[in-house]
Amino acid sequence: MEMEKLAFLDEKIIGAILEKLREERNLKIISFSELYRLLNEFENRLVQSFIKLNPRDFGFNGKFIGVGAIPKNLIRINGHFLPKQVFLVFWEMNRILEDDIGKRLAIFSGYRSPAYQSIVFLRYLKDNKFDLLRTVKGVAFPGYSEHGDAKNQAIDFCAMGGDSSNIGPANFEKTIEYKWLTQNASKYGFYLSYPEGNRDGIMFEPWHWRLKG
Ligand SMILES: [Zn+2]
């Protein structure tokens, strides 16, 4: 696969899309039809050619989850969304974690619609200077993200009061919250779905916990 021939890597159009969506609210639960209404013809064409790519051509081996309907039972929590049944398990686990170690987990990323996942991917692609292979190791293609799977939802955790700087592997992995999760999360059905050396081709993500469906 010759990267330079992939039309979707048009840096100017990607920049324009991201700029246009910068001020949009509730992007995390946007549908493809809502997204297409916000973009012009060229921008839409780029998104559509992107979502037709096969992630396996780029070293991503995760399962296809689907680009279906956005769940209706989403609970909003500090700007993030979780399906109600997932929220309840998370809330209970966090209460026990607080009883045990006097800390609380915050959510860095919860449910993300497949259309939002394509925006997230384009953001990372730009941040990675349009290095597609590097981007694929850190973020799933739309339809392949465990954040878009309400039945088997993934949540990215961070330490309370933290920001993006402490969810990285070098940091969240060292927190007492992470240690507690490795010892207790399975009691609630949460598991680390991208452990070290995982087969999906995704880097080790100590902050990314998935709830069994
Ligand atoms: Zn994640």
Side-chain angles (χ1 to χ4, degrees), residues 93-185:
M93 180 173 80
N94 215 9
R95 192 177 68 78
I96 303 297
L97 181 145
E98 187 175 21
D99 280 354
D100 285 355
I101 61 172
K103 305 257 185 186
R104 278 182 90 78
L105 291 166
I107 297 171
F108 186 76
S109 189
Y111 176 80
R112 305 200 290 248
S113 72
Y116 180 61
Q117 185 70 21
S118 51
I119 301 164
V120 171
F121 192 98
L122 295 179
R123 271 188 203 148
Y124 275 86
L125 188 60
K126 185 164 182 264
D127 289 348
N128 285 328
K129 301 194 167 54
F130 300 92
D131 181 338
L132 184 57
L133 294 183
R134 187 168 161 214
T135 304
V136 170
K137 287 193 174 67
V139 56
F141 275 60
Y144 292 79
S145 171
E146 296 180 351
H147 287 276
D149 188 2
K151 285 201 181 69
N152 196 183
Q153 180 71 49
I155 308 177
D156 293 340
F157 293 126
C158 60
M160 189 63 105
D163 55 34
S164 57
S165 66
N166 63 7
I167 73 153
N171 296 303
F172 189 69
E173 193 186 354
K174 288 180 192 146
T175 62
I176 185 170
E177 291 91 330
Y178 174 71
K179 189 175 176 210
W180 188 93
L181 285 171
T182 60
Q183 292 165 345
N184 298 283

Side-chain angles (χ1 to χ4, degrees), residues 7-207:
F8 101 89
L9 285 174
D10 188 311
E11 300 179 12
K12 269 200 189 133
I13 297 182
I14 290 174
I17 292 172
L18 296 177
E19 185 57 31
K20 195 172 269 187
L21 299 175
R22 214 160 48 92
E23 307 268 294
E24 282 297 321
R25 299 166 136 229
N26 292 333
L27 271 184
K28 297 182 177 87
I29 52 171
I30 197 169
S31 66
F32 275 111
S33 55
E34 287 164 337
L35 175 62
Y36 293 147
R37 270 202 293 277
L38 294 171
L39 304 179
N40 70 28
E41 186 193 338
F42 301 102
E43 295 159 352
N44 278 333
R45 210 178 289 156
L46 183 141
V47 173
Q48 284 161 6
S49 70
F50 165 48
I51 62 177
K52 277 187 203 133
L53 296 175
N54 183 353
R56 290 185 209 300
D57 291 339
F58 308 96
F60 178 78
N61 297 315
K63 286 195 188 74
F64 181 67
I65 286 161
V67 288
I70 293 156
K72 292 200 178 0
N73 65 344
L74 293 170
I75 304 273
R76 194 186 171 118
I77 167 173
N78 295 328
H80 300 284
F81 295 87
L82 286 178
K84 189 176 177 191
Q85 71 278 11
V86 178
F87 169 80
L88 293 173
V89 177
F90 159 69
W91 201 251
E92 172 64 8
M93 180 173 80
N94 215 9
R95 192 177 68 78
I96 303 297
L97 181 145
E98 187 175 21
D99 280 354
D100 285 355
I101 61 172
K103 305 257 185 186
R104 278 182 90 78
L105 291 166
I107 297 171
F108 186 76
S109 189
Y111 176 80
R112 305 200 290 248
S113 72
Y116 180 61
Q117 185 70 21
S118 51
I119 301 164
V120 171
F121 192 98
L122 295 179
R123 271 188 203 148
Y124 275 86
L125 188 60
K126 185 164 182 264
D127 289 348
N128 285 328
K129 301 194 167 54
F130 300 92
D131 181 338
L132 184 57
L133 294 183
R134 187 168 161 214
T135 304
V136 170
K137 287 193 174 67
V139 56
F141 275 60
Y144 292 79
S145 171
E146 296 180 351
H147 287 276
D149 188 2
K151 285 201 181 69
N152 196 183
Q153 180 71 49
I155 308 177
D156 293 340
F157 293 126
C158 60
M160 189 63 105
D163 55 34
S164 57
S165 66
N166 63 7
I167 73 153
N171 296 303
F172 189 69
E173 193 186 354
K174 288 180 192 146
T175 62
I176 185 170
E177 291 91 330
Y178 174 71
K179 189 175 176 210
W180 188 93
L181 285 171
T182 60
Q183 292 165 345
N184 298 283
S186 64
K187 292 176 207 160
Y188 302 88
F190 278 103
Y191 63 100
L192 203 55
S193 61
Y194 296 133
E196 243 156 326
N198 66 78
R199 290 180 183 182
D200 287 357
I202 295 272
M203 63 181 178
F204 173 42
E205 294 195 350
W207 56 85

